[in-house]
Amino acid sequence: MAIHSNELTERDLKLLKLLLDFGVVSSVQLSKWIFPKVARTTVLRRLRLLEKRGMIRKRGTLPDATAVWMIDQKGQRLIAGMTENLYFPAHQLEHEITLNEIRWRLHGLGVVQSWMNERELRRKAPDRNGFERENLAIPDAVILMKHFGRPEAFVRMEVELNIKSNERYKRLFQRVDPYSQGARAWLWYLVKNRSMGNRILRYAKKHGDYSLPPILGFTVIDDFLTDPWSAEFHQLEKATALTTIMKLSRPESAVKNTHAHASAQAMSTEGLNENNVFAA
DNA sequence: GCTATAACTCGCTTGCAAGT
DNA sequence: ACTTGCAAGCGAGTTATAGC
């Protein structure tokens, strides 16, 4: 493992791939996912080194001062063979970091077949006139799940940390969405608390076009992150365990282990999609 | 109440000794 | 030669306290 100082390690490459795929990732997340069992000081030192070499860049900080990183020009050229202007608004960093956490957890559960983030969705959105484009309701992610209510289900995911105005929900549920995949698509809100989710459900019922209904429901973010096995998928008239929706059976080993450990294990054994960063 | 300042918190950085 | 972890310290933000 003798590595000359200006060479990149396997771990560095894994980190760069993760940043390219996820967009922005916090120091804490990089610590958990790329540097398990490595002291935080060492992690931060490595990040600074990669920053100095133009591989990564500090994008900003979270309210608790945790740094948030993105890939820089050199890193992009190395991993993607091209550069692209990546833009992550400062006020959305917390949202992105939360979305990452949910995504990582879902991958860890082995339920994700493929994941398309908002950036990719926008890029592939039909480029008609400006109005159409602006009027598309692009979700935070479109996920092809192994099972979600039925096998091979498309799920549009929205992570909602702050409740939007009633007017915005009204417009949102009336909009055309080219990614709805017809009547069989699910719309899954991950919300801060129950009252937020209920309000969204009520507005969807009031303003949505239910002649072609997406199957709409929400899960409370903290419930899902602390224990996915006891989290629920809330709909207007009922709540179903996520384990039922996703056909998930709790592995014996995961009961004893910490969540981080459990996800890391699942991650390394579960072969995931394309150019994935999850492969060991 | 209001303001000034001390005490504390938290993520990050740095120096140093030890490990590979 | 380079990486790692510990301990101490820094800076910015927050909370507690003292004096008016």
Side-chain angles (χ1 to χ4, degrees):
Chain A
M1 239 242 308
I3 279 131
H4 193 261
S5 78
N6 50 26
E7 270 181 38
L8 294 178
T9 63
E10 276 304 310
R11 193 178 57 184
D12 293 333
L13 293 175
K14 196 175 164 191
L15 184 147
L16 292 176
K17 280 181 196 162
L18 180 81
L19 282 180
L20 190 70
D21 193 12
F22 278 52
V24 281
V25 184
S26 76
S27 300
V28 174
Q29 292 175 331
L30 291 173
S31 222
K32 283 191 294 185
W33 301 340
I34 307 290
F35 301 82
K37 310 230 165 131
V38 174
R40 185 66 52 85
T41 49
T42 305
V43 175
L44 297 174
R45 194 165 6 220
R46 192 70 196 174
L47 292 176
R48 259 175 284 129
L49 190 80
L50 291 172
E51 183 182 33
K52 206 171 136 198
R53 290 184 197 159
M55 291 291 167
I56 66 175
R57 185 147 58 91
K58 203 181 277 181
R59 173 60 191 90
T61 54
L62 297 177
D64 72 350
T66 303
V68 175
W69 303 84
M70 61 181 285
I71 197 159
D72 205 354
Q73 303 262 331
K74 275 192 186 173
Q76 277 194 63
R77 263 197 295 277
L78 186 72
I79 301 299
M82 54 171 279
T83 59
E84 178 188 357
N85 267 335
L86 300 173
Y87 176 60
F88 301 101
H91 68 277
Q92 271 173 226
L93 291 182
E94 216 182 340
H95 176 271
E96 293 299 304
I97 298 309
T98 307
L99 180 60
N100 287 351
E101 207 69 39
I102 293 163
R103 177 178 180 183
W104 190 268
R105 196 48 157 280
L106 281 170
H107 276 295
L109 292 171
V111 294
V112 176
Q113 204 142 315
S114 75
W115 181 289
M116 248 206 275
N117 61 33
E118 193 183 352
R119 206 157 13 105
E120 292 167 304
L121 292 169
R122 280 195 193 284
R123 208 169 18 230
K124 287 178 184 164
D127 194 7
R128 279 166 276 180
N129 56 60
F131 174 79
E132 280 268 354
R133 194 183 178 87
E134 197 175 314
N135 232 29
L136 294 173
I138 307 236
D140 290 328
V142 171
I143 316 160
L144 176 57
M145 303 274 271
K146 286 181 184 159
H147 196 103
F148 201 91
R150 67 186 183 87
E152 307 263 303
F154 275 98
V155 177
R156 289 182 291 159
M157 175 182 283
E158 291 282 359
V159 171
E160 209 84 333
L161 297 182
N162 305 107
I163 195 88
K164 297 187 177 92
S165 70
N166 293 349
E167 193 53 37
R168 267 183 84 181
Y169 285 114
K170 189 173 158 185
R171 270 182 286 134
L172 192 72
F173 289 119
Q174 287 171 341
R175 279 182 187 173
V176 197
D177 180 359
Y179 297 99
S180 65
Q181 307 290 332
R184 308 297 344 240
W186 295 75
L187 184 49
W188 187 17
Y189 271 87
L190 280 117
V191 297
K192 200 122 195 191
N193 51 52
R194 215 118 155 206
S195 68
M196 200 172 186
N198 285 326
R199 189 165 147 201
I200 291 169
L201 292 185
R202 283 199 305 274
Y203 271 89
K205 190 185 181 181
K206 201 167 161 192
H207 303 293
D209 176 7
Y210 270 75
S211 62
L212 218 114
I215 305 155
L216 176 72
F218 74 85
T219 298
V220 176
I221 293 169
D222 282 349
D223 291 352
F224 176 69
L225 291 180
T226 47
D227 184 12
W229 287 279
S230 58
E232 290 183 314
F233 185 74
H234 298 271
Q235 292 173 275
L236 263 182
E237 61 299 319
K238 59 175 178 179
T240 318
L242 267 186
T243 49
T244 309
I245 300 270
M246 303 195 293
K247 258 202 171 163
L248 210 72
S249 52
R250 186 176 206 144
E252 270 314 306
S253 59
V255 182
K256 295 183 233 166
N257 293 340
T258 66
H259 292 309
H261 199 142
S263 333
Q265 269 189 334
M267 207 66 60
S268 56
T269 50
E270 202 79 30
L272 289 159
N273 56 12
E274 323 92 70
N275 52 347
N276 68 74
V277 285
F278 302 100

